[in-house]
Amino acid sequence: LAIGGERGTVTVFVVTMTTALLLVAGLVFDGGRMIAARRDADAVAAAAARAGAQGLDEAGLRATDAAPLDPAAAQARAQRYLAATPYTGNVAVVGDTVSVDVARIQDLPILSLGGVGSSTVTGSGTAIAVRAVTERP
């Protein structure tokens, strides 16, 4: 039924609601993927830092009670770990601490319909080399 000047209003309403529902679905689906990707980025960065913290200086290890790092070995171990992941990153070794920052592009399939096709996901992690973990009484 079309009454006077209301012809086509249902079509406009349906198109508007469909667009709004697609936008909400994109925010839910792609937003969830972004949250998971950020969590994964932090986990990869932390794991790469732990791998780097295993690059100990053997001579320094024998000479002290500390766990000194060989900066080149620590950086190589962290980069080797990152090479097996879809992330790129920077590794910094300062004293007995290895810090890793990672990034990658996350595709957003539903939001790409609205012009937002991807977003950069970043994460960071730090590990400290220790000689042993002891329990205090």
Side-chain angles (χ1 to χ4, degrees), residues 10 23 27 29 39 41 47 57 67 80 82 86 89 99 101 104 113 121 126 131 133:
V10 171
L23 178 63
L27 290 173
F29 180 75
R39 183 193 62 227
D57 176 9
R80 194 167 36 247
L82 287 178
S99 299
D101 295 314
R104 80 174 173 92
L113 300 173
V121 176
T126 302
R131 182 143 185 132
V133 177

Side-chain angles (χ1 to χ4, degrees), residues 41-42 44-54 69 71 74-79 82 88-102 123-129:
D42 283 337
V44 166
R50 285 191 301 271
Q54 295 175 13
L69 290 174
Q75 184 146 7
R77 283 174 166 270
Q79 289 291 357
L82 287 178
T88 58
N90 298 317
V91 178
V93 180
V94 178
D96 63 351
T97 304
V98 179
S99 299
V100 179
D101 295 314
V102 298
S124 60
T126 302
I128 299 172

Side-chain angles (χ1 to χ4, degrees), residues 22-87:
L22 282 175
L23 178 63
V24 169
L27 290 173
V28 170
F29 180 75
D30 289 340
R33 288 174 51 118
M34 285 298 294
I35 290 169
R38 285 191 179 118
R39 183 193 62 227
D40 291 346
D42 283 337
V44 166
R50 285 191 301 271
Q54 295 175 13
L56 298 172
D57 176 9
E58 291 183 29
L61 191 61
R62 290 185 184 101
T64 68
D65 287 339
L69 290 174
D70 175 355
Q75 184 146 7
R77 283 174 166 270
Q79 289 291 357
R80 194 167 36 247
Y81 184 91
L82 287 178
T85 70
Y87 294 87

